[in-house]
Every structure is written in C-alpha cells, then in structure tokens.
Amino acid sequence: MAQASLPFIEVLYEDNHVIVVVKPINVPTQEDDSHDPDLLTMIKQDLKHRHGKPGNVYLGLVHRLDRPVGGVMVFAKTSKAASRLSDAVRTHSIRKIYTAVVNGRPKQPQGTLKHHLLKDAKTNMVSVVPAGKAGAKEAVLDYTVTDHAEGLSRVRVELHTGRPHQIRVQFAAIGCPLVGDQRYGAHLTKPGQQIALWSTELSFEHPTTKETLSFTSKPPKAYPWFLWNEQS
C-alpha cells in the first residue's frame, strides 16, 4: 500500500488496482456540462504525473457522488478491477454508509425507507412515484437517528440501492429534507448553503486479493456538522 497526495484531494489508499480518495464538495465526479474540473480527470492527471506514464491513464469509475456531496470514493486503476468492483456495486456487496443532517426529526428513530423513484432526465430531478410506474426503480435504505440539535437531526444512512439522489429524495419524501439541499429542500434552504451529506464509510472486497478493505472520512468542521462535538 502506498499513500499519496493530490492537490486538494486526500488519498486514503492506493495500490496497483484501486485508489481510494476523499471527494471534495462541489467537485463533479466526472465531466459534466459545466466543464468544471472533475475528480476523475484530476486523479488521472495526478497518476500520469506521479508515475510518469505515457499516453492515456486508465481509471475506472464504478460509483458516483452527487456534485455537492463529499466523502469516501473508490476508483479502479485496471479494467479487471473496474469490472469486479462494478459487479460488486450491482450486487450491493459494497457497503456504503453516509451521514446526513436533516430538517426536523423522523417519526421513527430508526427504520427502513422504501420508495419507487423516477428520474426526469431533462430536469435532472427525481420523484417518488407509485410502484409499477414505467421507468421507476425501487430505492431502499436503512437509517438511524444519532443526535438532535436546533431542530435538526443527524442521521446515519446505509444504502441498499444506489439510485440517483436517493438519500435526498427519500428523506424529503418523509418530510425531513436534508439541510442545505437546494434541489429537494429549497423552501428550508438559504441560497448558497452547502448540503449536509457525507460519504463516511466505504467497505469492499479487494478485486484481486479478496481482502475486505474499509475506509472512513469525517464531515468537515462546518455548519451544521459542528453542532455535534464528535463526528460519527
């Protein structure tokens, strides 16, 4: 294992097959219509520079985080690793834990949320729809409320499906939109406020050694995270 450093990007782990980083907030995971610097390209450029590789550098994207969301991500450095990690994502064998801060308090301190979600590609908005609607996909997550402060709740979330905007839409659907969510909680959000969602834990089987690797990252010391002394 070797640790490295990227400009503004923390590298948690790197070997010949994978690289695990902490995605900064407000950086696209991959190139989008904004053409702003994206994480995939930045890591490729760093690998090319750091390892003196000629030509194009391979880097496989196996999962995503929304642009405003930060936290732990894994990328594949070989096509074999990309294929095996993508299979792990499809079979839900990669464990993803998030921490979110939501407005209000869910009725139950812990539970499972199940909805059917439909994405509008034109508006990039996701809606909760009845089961059976054409194009809808089931979304499932488990949550535990860990703290309350100032009318907000800190929530630990484990995803069982990886639908677009899933955590944001599902908590908005139960009346507890995420703090700072400009898209699904705009009526409770100040302009420019940062969304309170962080990828805090990621566990997966290494694509070649089969060893289980686990990584963690704490949310930034900013509002609303600083309402709690200890981050989990």
Side-chain angles (χ1 to χ4, degrees), residues 31-220:
E31 186 176 7
D32 60 17
D33 292 339
S34 72
H35 301 296
D36 290 337
D38 65 277
L39 187 61
L40 184 70
T41 300
M42 284 191 280
I43 296 175
K44 280 185 177 181
Q45 291 173 342
D46 178 76
L47 291 174
K48 180 180 178 66
H49 172 75
R50 205 153 32 86
H51 299 302
K53 291 190 174 184
N56 293 327
V57 172
Y58 180 87
L59 192 67
L61 180 66
V62 296
H63 69 121
R64 293 169 176 79
L65 292 177
D66 291 348
R67 178 173 181 146
V69 179
V72 187
M73 285 192 71
V74 59
F75 292 83
K77 292 176 64 178
T78 65
S79 57
K80 178 187 290 187
S83 176
R84 291 178 179 176
L85 287 174
S86 294
D87 285 342
V89 170
R90 281 194 292 271
T91 58
H92 313 302
S93 55
I94 289 185
R95 191 175 191 217
K96 302 179 201 173
I97 307 293
Y98 294 77
T99 302
V101 181
V102 303
N103 288 279
R105 182 181 299 202
K107 291 181 179 179
Q108 303 296 329
Q110 62 182 38
T112 299
L113 299 183
K114 293 183 180 181
H115 296 94
H116 284 79
L117 305 183
L118 182 65
K119 183 176 181 179
D120 185 329
K122 292 182 180 179
T123 63
N124 197 30
M125 290 287 288
V126 178
S127 303
V128 174
V129 298
K133 186 174 178 64
K137 295 182 179 180
E138 187 179 47
V140 183
L141 62 79
D142 291 332
Y143 73 89
T144 302
V145 178
T146 58
D147 286 291
H148 305 283
E150 299 183 8
L152 308 178
S153 301
R154 186 174 63 168
V155 184
R156 181 183 186 273
V157 181
E158 180 169 2
L159 281 184
H160 296 294
T161 54
R163 309 305 182 198
H165 302 178
Q166 177 178 340
I167 296 173
R168 301 162 65 181
V169 176
Q170 289 196 270
F171 278 98
I174 64 167
C176 297
L178 270 62
V179 171
D181 192 340
Q182 305 285 343
R183 191 178 292 264
Y184 301 103
H187 61 295
L188 295 171
T189 301
K190 298 175 183 178
Q193 191 174 7
Q194 183 65 42
I195 193 169
L197 179 60
W198 197 261
S199 172
T200 47
E201 298 178 39
L202 185 69
S203 299
F204 59 92
E205 183 182 271
H206 191 281
T208 60
T209 68
K210 306 304 181 184
E211 176 187 4
T212 298
L213 301 179
S214 298
F215 303 95
T216 61
S217 173
K218 291 182 178 181

